[in-house]
Amino acid sequence: MRATVVRRTALAACAVSLTLLATACGGSSDADADTDAGGGKNDKGAATSGSSSAPTASAKALSTAELETASLKQGDVEGHKVAEAGPDDEVPADGLKADKATCLPVVHAMYGAAEAGSKATTKRKVITDPKAGAKKSLKDMTEGEAEGALKAAFDLTSTLVALNAYEGTAGPDTFAGLKKAAADCAGGFTATVAGAKQKIVSITEEKVTGGDESAAWTLIQEDEGAKAPFKLVALRKEGTVATFLSFNLAAGQDGGAKFTVPTEVVAAQAKKLG
C-alpha cells in the first residue's frame, strides 16, 4: 500500500465525515458479516433486518439527565477512547440534505441528527485505541514493513454514537422510518452536508441484534473514483433510538472486507440503555 493511496483514502474519508474523522485525518497527508451486538433481551432469532420487538405501549422519553446517564463514557468500551462530541462535531439538521427526499432519514442517522419529536440528544465519539507502534524507524524498514506500518497506523475505527429520546410512539416511528429509507435508497443517493456533496452509491443490509429493535447497513461512499465503506447501525430501546456511524481509514484498501460492525461499541451502548 503506497503512501499516495493512503493519502487518497484519507482525503476521501474526510470529505464524507468531516466531524467523525477529525482526529484520524489530522496527520494523514503524508503518510458483510453476521454480528451479535449483545446487550439485548431478544438476541435469538434475529432476521437479516435485525432484531425486532413491536412496542406494547407508548414510551416515556428519557430526560436530558437520564439520557446522559445512559450515554457511553470513558471506560465503558474496552480498547476504545470515548469522548463527548463538541460544537465542532455538530452538523445542524438544516445543513443536511438529500437529492431524494426519502433518503433524508439515512443522512440524519449518519450525523446523529434528531427527527421530529426528539426530547433530548447526546453524542459521543468512540475511537479504537491505536496499536503499538513499530519497533523500527521508517528509514530502517523494508518496503513491505513500511507498507504494513502505514496500514496499521490507519487501522483505527471511529464511531459517532447519537442517542435521541422520543415520547410516545415517535421512537418506533423514527426507527421504522430509517429502515424504510435505507431500503428505498439501496441503489444510492447524493447527500449535501454543510454545502458539500457526498455520493453514496449503495446501501447493503447486515445483521445485528440488541435492544427492542436493531438494524445495520454498509454504506459505500464514492469520491473521485475512490470508494470507502461505512457501517451504520440503529438500535431502539423503548423510546430511545441510538445510531452509530463507523469508518475505518484502512478499510478502503481491502474493499472493506475486514471492516465489520463495531459490535463491542453497540453492545456497550445497548447494555447502558437496559
Side-chain angles (χ1 to χ4, degrees):
M1 180 176 63
R2 300 293 186 270
T4 53
V5 176
V6 174
R7 175 191 172 105
R8 184 172 186 180
T9 301
L11 291 177
C14 291
V16 178
S17 186
L18 300 177
T19 57
L20 176 62
L21 297 173
T23 301
C25 293
S28 63
S29 59
D30 293 320
D32 286 19
D34 290 356
T35 56
D36 183 353
K41 297 180 180 179
N42 58 335
D43 291 347
K44 295 182 180 180
T48 302
S49 58
S51 58
S52 178
S53 177
T56 57
S58 294
K60 187 180 186 308
L62 296 181
S63 66
T64 300
E66 289 172 328
L67 203 63
E68 282 291 341
T69 299
S71 297
L72 293 175
K73 295 176 177 59
Q74 180 61 32
D76 285 341
V77 190
E78 185 177 356
H80 294 70
K81 288 182 172 59
V82 180
E84 291 186 20
D88 292 340
D89 302 305
E90 293 287 341
V91 179
D94 59 7
L96 299 172
K97 299 179 174 25
D99 62 340
K100 301 175 184 176
T102 188
C103 303
L104 191 56
V106 176
V107 184
H108 284 171
M110 290 173 66
Y111 288 89
E115 298 293 349
S118 174
K119 302 298 183 182
T121 300
T122 62
K123 293 181 183 178
R124 297 291 188 266
K125 295 183 294 184
V126 184
I127 303 175
T128 52
D129 288 332
K131 296 178 180 179
K135 296 181 180 180
K136 294 182 181 179
S137 65
L138 193 61
K139 64 182 179 62
D140 294 327
M141 293 181 184
T142 65
E143 183 177 351
E145 289 174 333
E147 290 178 1
L150 281 171
K151 185 169 183 179
F154 285 99
D155 189 13
L156 299 173
T157 297
S158 299
T159 303
L160 176 65
V161 184
L163 300 186
N164 281 290
Y166 296 93
E167 194 81 32
T169 62
D173 290 346
T174 293
F175 183 88
L178 174 57
K179 284 193 67 177
K180 183 178 186 304
D184 290 346
C185 300
F189 65 94
T190 298
T192 301
V193 180
K197 299 288 185 183
Q198 299 177 4
K199 185 178 180 182
I200 304 298
V201 296
S202 67
I203 301 177
T204 305
E205 194 169 12
E206 293 200 22
K207 291 183 181 179
V208 70
T209 59
D212 295 331
E213 296 183 284
S214 56
W217 305 269
T218 294
L219 282 64
I220 302 297
Q221 183 265 351
E222 183 175 5
D223 182 64
E224 296 184 354
K227 293 184 178 181
F230 286 76
K231 302 295 181 180
L232 178 62
V233 177
L235 180 148
R236 181 185 67 81
K237 180 63 179 180
E238 297 181 349
T240 300
V241 177
T243 56
F244 310 75
L245 179 70
S246 301
F247 182 78
N248 183 294
L249 279 173
Q253 306 311 308
D254 60 9
K258 298 179 181 178
F259 177 37
T260 61
V261 171
T263 53
E264 63 275 31
V265 178
V266 178
Q269 184 60 80
K271 182 179 180 180
K272 296 202 72 171
L273 285 171

